[in-house]
Amino acid sequence: MNVWLDVTAIALMISTSLIIAIRYISSGIKWLSFQSLMLSFLTGALAIETGRTDLFVIAVLTLIIKAIIIPYILFRTLQAVGVERQAEKSFGRDRLMIAVLAMWAIGYYVTPDFGQGNGHNVYLSIAIGMLLSGVLIMITHKKALMQGVGLIVIENSLFLAALSTSFGMPFLVDIGIFMDVLVIVVLISALSFRMDELLSSMSIEKLKRLKG
């Protein structure tokens, strides 16, 4: 089991790093779906380890909502605006990859040692790295859909932090967060579609034209 958990941890780091450096938005959505799939697998593994039924339910909801429904909504929005769009970034891929490596290093060094000896601290380090990487995505990517992808990466990081420290949040809180995230993704998709319709672009920099 520990080997598979280590593989999951590595997969979370790789998928997050690749989301930042992608060339096309569709690639970012695919890696976001893969990241959520890994979170679902990790939650299911913890459910087996602890025997908690609520974690099984959360694992299934993570798979359905974050790994299937949300990527589907984002893909449909991308198809609705026409051809595959490139992800516009404020910096080159090389600089972004250096920045994301720095995010992982910061996540490792700021993680407190709880002295549990059960290996869960590594996931808190990864959660902090994912959180910082999600913020980096939202700062450096100019397309509105990528802002949504960055937001989901941040939410996934908070989900992972809760799993690594207390085996998740209370069940009803998790359900509420799932619904909130789903609504936010729908709103971002609708906003992206309207921006492309009115401004012929999903770049948030075009919104500067709306200043009085």
Side-chain angles (χ1 to χ4, degrees):
M1 178 68 76
N2 287 336
V3 174
W4 287 107
L5 291 179
D6 290 341
V7 171
T8 305
I10 294 172
L12 286 172
M13 294 179 68
I14 292 175
S15 58
T16 304
S17 301
L18 291 176
I19 288 174
I20 293 177
I22 49 97
R23 177 170 297 175
Y24 295 100
I25 297 175
S26 59
S27 300
I29 299 172
K30 290 175 184 175
W31 282 114
L32 178 68
S33 177
F34 177 77
Q35 182 189 80
S36 299
L37 179 65
M38 291 297 100
L39 271 183
S40 172
F41 175 80
L42 180 62
T43 309
L46 288 178
I48 294 172
E49 183 179 332
T50 60
R52 286 178 50 178
T53 306
D54 59 328
L55 284 181
F56 276 113
V57 177
I58 295 301
V60 173
L61 288 176
T62 301
L63 174 66
I64 295 174
I65 295 178
K66 289 185 177 178
I68 298 176
I69 295 180
I70 287 178
Y72 176 77
I73 293 172
L74 295 175
F75 269 122
R76 289 288 297 174
T77 303
L78 202 55
Q79 291 175 351
V81 298
V83 297
E84 187 173 22
R85 301 301 179 92
Q86 285 194 335
E88 295 181 14
K89 302 181 283 290
S90 301
F91 302 100
R93 298 177 69 182
D94 293 342
R95 290 185 179 181
L96 287 176
M97 290 309 296
I98 293 173
V100 75
L101 289 175
M103 299 298 107
W104 296 125
I106 293 172
Y108 177 79
Y109 282 107
V110 303
T111 301
D113 183 6
F114 296 126
Q116 296 174 336
N118 54 12
H120 288 157
N121 277 355
V122 68
Y123 292 101
L124 184 57
S125 298
I126 294 173
I128 294 173
M130 285 175 60
L131 173 66
L132 296 174
S133 298
V135 174
L136 187 65
I137 292 171
M138 297 190 71
I139 291 174
T140 57
H141 283 261
K142 300 176 182 177
K143 296 292 180 63
L145 273 185
M146 287 305 296
Q147 302 291 308
V149 170
L151 185 65
I152 302 303
V153 171
I154 291 174
E155 203 286 322
N156 280 346
S157 72
L158 298 176
F159 181 82
L160 180 60
L163 274 181
S164 64
T165 54
S166 58
F167 295 108
M169 288 180 276
F171 182 72
L172 291 179
V173 174
D174 271 333
I175 296 298
I177 292 175
F178 278 129
M179 294 302 104
D180 286 345
V181 169
L182 190 57
V183 170
I184 289 172
V185 169
V186 170
L187 291 176
I188 289 176
S189 296
L191 174 64
S192 299
F193 180 77
R194 289 293 293 167
M195 284 178 62
D196 186 77
E197 192 175 58
L198 296 175
L199 305 173
S200 300
S201 173
M202 291 190 297
S203 174
I204 56 176
E205 290 196 339
K206 297 286 184 180
L207 294 178
K208 293 178 181 178
R209 295 180 182 179
L210 301 179
K211 290 182 178 179

